[in-house]
Amino acid sequence: MDIVVIGSGIGGLTAAALLAKTGLQVLVLEQHDRAGGYAHGFKRKKYTFDAGVHLTSGCGMQGFAGGQIIRKVLQAVESYEQLEFVKVNPFAVVSVGGLSVELPTSINALVEQLGDLFPHERQGLQDLLRLCLQLAEQVAKADDVIASNDLAKMNLELNLLFKYRRSTLADIWGSYIREPQLQSIFAALWPYLGLPPEKVSFVYWASMLMGYVEDGAYYCKGGFQGLANALVNGLKQAGGKIRFKCQVTRISVSDSQVQGVFLASGEFIATNTVISNADMLLTVKKLVGESYFPKRYLSRLQNMRPSISIFVVYIATNLDVVQAGAHHEAFYYDELDHEVNYNNSVQGNLSWMSITIPTLVDDSLAPKGEHIVMLTVLADFEQTSHWSPEKAAYIEKMLDFADKKIAGLKAHTVFIEAGSPATLQRYTLNHKGAAYGWDVSPKQVGANRAANKAPIAGLYFAGHWTTPGGGIYGVSYSGVQTAQKVLGLQQQKELWDLCAK
């Protein structure tokens, strides 16, 4: 094969489908029985659940300059028309400090909504959101600008990116908004990145937020397994292949050059180019072997911090959730201070939860009169030495919390299942069930994250362990970057043009 991709998460599938579209022979190897990684879906009885994805951005025709990456990828591999993306507006509801607030799409609408509640903060909020938009646009074009090797152009067009690259969200927001309750509402989506305002990269935060505010928030009708399947279809239409229940046990390297991969069955597949969409530590330490990597590279990985994991409870209910005042995506916080909420998660205490009800935007996921509900919290893999015996008590604790927010939910639950950090690790082989690869702190995003190209000829990475970072949008962008690197293309436009040919 020209290319072998290990793992079929969205990052790996994006790279695979794009490279196949350019005429290369591509094979994806997946150890699970379906594609998608954290974006995969599953069915239980009459219900269809998403494993972990609630929403994504970048699927529409309009948005900020350089955005809409998922739509561009799907169009490039001729799979966009296979999907229906449902626009979700407001994209979230936040309940904190006795106040419940809808977050609508568009900067103007968001300023109006929050400005009416905090009139003295209106101008500062608008300025902060405009800054986030400028940053998101600079991030989107950063690779192309840097590839020009024009220092003056970089300093001019990426000035904000350079200025804020070491900043956290909490480092910046105080210069624009000072009301603690507004800060708490503004930062309410922090669980999407796994770090509170005091720790999360402001640059990565700005890109994520603008994805929903300006690019739009979308749900994939039928569940996000459909997004993975559309990428697989794009891969196959271009002549690529995917094999399931095929675990790679070793990447063969000789003279600092990839030679192929060995499967658990003993089969050897020859290739000079491997893209690992698998866990980076697993790839380096076990699939390749540390002896093949420079000591400086290993030392850098050793000092990087993996992200926290999640605990998800999957519910089917016959409760009238609309009457109960529920929403598609809602964040409930008992504490105003998100660092307290984060620390509670690490310690296994509940002071917040996101409650997602996809059937409010797609009623095909459950029988008429019923809804599916996802209760999600961040959870540290090492909270307990064994998750299995703790699971039932954790589910009960989360149900009790959710029932206080949506009255009657617990009594009207007709199906329940859960996934712990150990579940995430088992199905995806991600280190300790890491939900976002490496933490998206200022020290671990952008150029500070592990590069798409490894220091071994023919070895590349795609997904949330490499640049730019986690989330469906982030790993999609990662797949695009990796495809460019494999093909030796400097500009993103060159990739779209090559696919179009």
Side-chain angles (χ1 to χ4, degrees):
M1 306 301 297
D2 294 322
I3 316 278
V4 167
V5 180
I6 303 172
S8 67
I10 299 300
L13 286 177
T14 296
L18 289 170
L19 289 167
K21 192 69 170 64
T22 68
L24 296 173
Q25 293 182 21
V26 181
L27 172 64
V28 178
L29 300 171
E30 169 56 52
Q31 58 101 24
H32 195 21
D33 61 7
R34 71 200 68 179
Y38 284 150
H40 85 269
F42 61 93
K43 290 193 174 183
R44 294 291 185 270
K45 298 182 179 179
K46 305 167 286 184
Y47 314 109
T48 301
F49 292 97
D50 293 295
V53 181
H54 304 175
L55 289 170
T56 190
S57 59
C59 305
M61 300 301 294
Q62 305 294 327
F64 66 81
Q68 309 93 58
I69 201 73
I70 293 175
R71 185 261 300 168
K72 291 173 183 175
V73 168
L74 291 170
Q75 285 183 328
V77 302
E78 299 182 49
S79 293
Y80 187 61
E81 301 303 324
Q82 297 174 19
L83 296 173
E84 181 183 345
F85 289 107
V86 183
K87 195 161 188 177
V88 180
N89 186 17
F91 57 88
V93 172
V94 180
S95 176
V96 60
L99 192 62
S100 184
V101 187
E102 293 183 344
L103 303 182
T105 55
S106 95
I107 287 178
N108 291 338
L110 191 54
V111 170
E112 284 302 308
Q113 181 82 323
L114 298 181
D116 286 347
L117 296 170
F118 304 92
H120 57 293
E121 299 274 25
R122 182 185 294 267
Q123 188 60 54
L125 177 64
Q126 181 160 329
D127 292 344
L128 179 55
L129 287 167
R130 292 291 173 193
L131 172 61
C132 288
L133 177 58
Q134 289 175 295
L135 260 176
E137 291 178 338
Q138 289 195 8
V139 168
K141 66 181 178 180
D143 285 347
D144 287 358
V145 174
I146 292 170
S148 71
N149 289 318
D150 185 333
L151 192 58
K153 183 181 174 75
M154 290 184 219
N155 287 329
L156 178 65
E157 297 191 26
L158 305 179
N159 61 321
L160 295 176
L161 190 53
F162 292 139
K163 180 178 180 179
Y164 295 110
R165 70 187 187 279
R166 294 192 179 97
S167 301
T168 66
L169 172 58
D171 289 335
I172 305 304
W173 64 8
S175 300
Y176 295 89
I177 54 175
R178 294 178 176 81
E179 170 61 48
Q181 191 171 23
L182 177 58
Q183 290 179 342
S184 190
I185 293 167
F186 180 81
L189 300 190
W190 68 268
Y192 281 164
L193 299 181
L195 286 177
E198 292 76 12
K199 293 181 171 68
V200 73
S201 159
F202 176 55
V203 171
Y204 206 77
W205 166 266
S207 292
M208 181 273 292
L209 182 63
M210 284 302 108
Y212 294 114
V213 174
E214 286 295 303
D215 250 12
Y218 296 87
Y219 185 78
C220 185
K221 190 169 178 63
F224 279 94
Q225 181 68 55
L227 174 59
N229 293 345
L231 290 168
V232 170
N233 290 341
L235 168 74
K236 290 180 176 179
Q237 288 171 65
K241 299 175 182 177
I242 185 167
R243 289 169 60 181
F244 297 107
K245 295 186 177 180
C246 283
Q247 186 169 352
V248 175
T249 55
R250 199 172 118 228
I251 299 171
S252 176
V253 176
S254 180
D255 297 326
S256 297
Q257 166 68 56
V258 166
Q259 304 294 329
V261 298
F262 285 94
L263 306 185
S265 64
E267 181 183 355
F268 176 75
I269 299 170
T271 182
N272 288 325
T273 304
V274 168
I275 298 171
S276 177
N277 187 208
D279 177 274
M280 185 171 282
L281 295 172
L282 173 72
T283 304
V284 171
K285 293 182 177 183
K286 293 186 177 179
L287 298 187
V288 177
E290 294 185 16
S291 62
Y292 291 95
F293 290 88
K295 289 183 179 178
R296 186 175 177 182
Y297 188 84
L298 295 173
S299 176
R300 185 181 170 202
L301 289 188
Q302 187 68 32
N303 291 325
M304 293 190 77
R305 177 188 168 101
S307 75
I308 197 168
S309 189
I310 60 174
F311 194 107
V312 191
V313 179
Y314 306 97
I315 291 171
T317 179
N318 55 19
L319 178 69
D320 185 341
V321 294
V322 176
Q323 183 69 28
H327 311 274
H328 172 262
E329 183 78 320
F331 292 86
Y332 296 93
Y333 295 103
D334 286 348
E335 299 287 342
L336 211 60
D337 187 334
H338 288 312
E339 189 162 29
V340 172
N341 288 316
Y342 173 79
N343 290 333
N344 281 338
S345 289
V346 172
Q347 294 158 14
N349 300 319
L350 291 185
S351 63
W352 72 275
M353 181 183 292
S354 77
I355 300 181
T356 312
I357 309 180
T359 37
L360 288 175
V361 295
D362 181 3
D363 61 9
S364 71
L365 304 172
K368 188 176 181 179
E370 296 185 60
H371 289 274
I372 59 170
V373 183
M374 295 168 64
L375 313 179
T376 308
V377 295
L378 298 178
D380 189 341
F381 184 89
E382 295 179 339
Q383 276 174 217
T384 175
S385 55
H386 298 287
W387 272 99
S388 291
E390 302 289 335
K391 213 169 178 180
Y394 218 84
I395 292 170
E396 192 69 15
K397 182 165 60 172
M398 289 177 66
L399 270 175
D400 287 340
F401 187 98
D403 198 60
K404 292 175 184 176
K405 309 305 177 184
I406 303 177
L409 180 63
K410 189 173 181 179
H412 286 82
T413 294
V414 296
F415 171 85
I416 190 163
E417 191 172 309
S420 71
T423 311
L424 269 66
Q425 179 177 253
R426 184 169 72 253
Y427 279 105
T428 68
L429 304 183
N430 273 291
H431 177 73
K432 295 183 178 179
Y436 311 96
W438 305 115
D439 264 346
V440 287
S441 63
K443 293 181 179 179
Q444 296 188 170
V445 298
N448 294 327
R449 210 169 184 83
N452 302 102
K453 192 176 188 313
I456 292 175
L459 180 61
Y460 298 82
F461 296 104
H464 60 195
W465 295 97
T466 185
T467 60
I472 292 293
Y473 193 95
V475 298
S476 298
Y477 208 100
S478 166
V480 172
Q481 289 179 320
T482 304
Q484 283 183 242
K485 297 277 192 309
V486 170
L487 295 165
L489 304 178
Q490 298 295 313
Q491 305 288 320
Q492 196 180 103
K493 185 178 183 300
E494 295 177 86
L495 178 60
W496 306 135
D497 289 345
L498 191 58
C499 287
K501 291 176 183 176

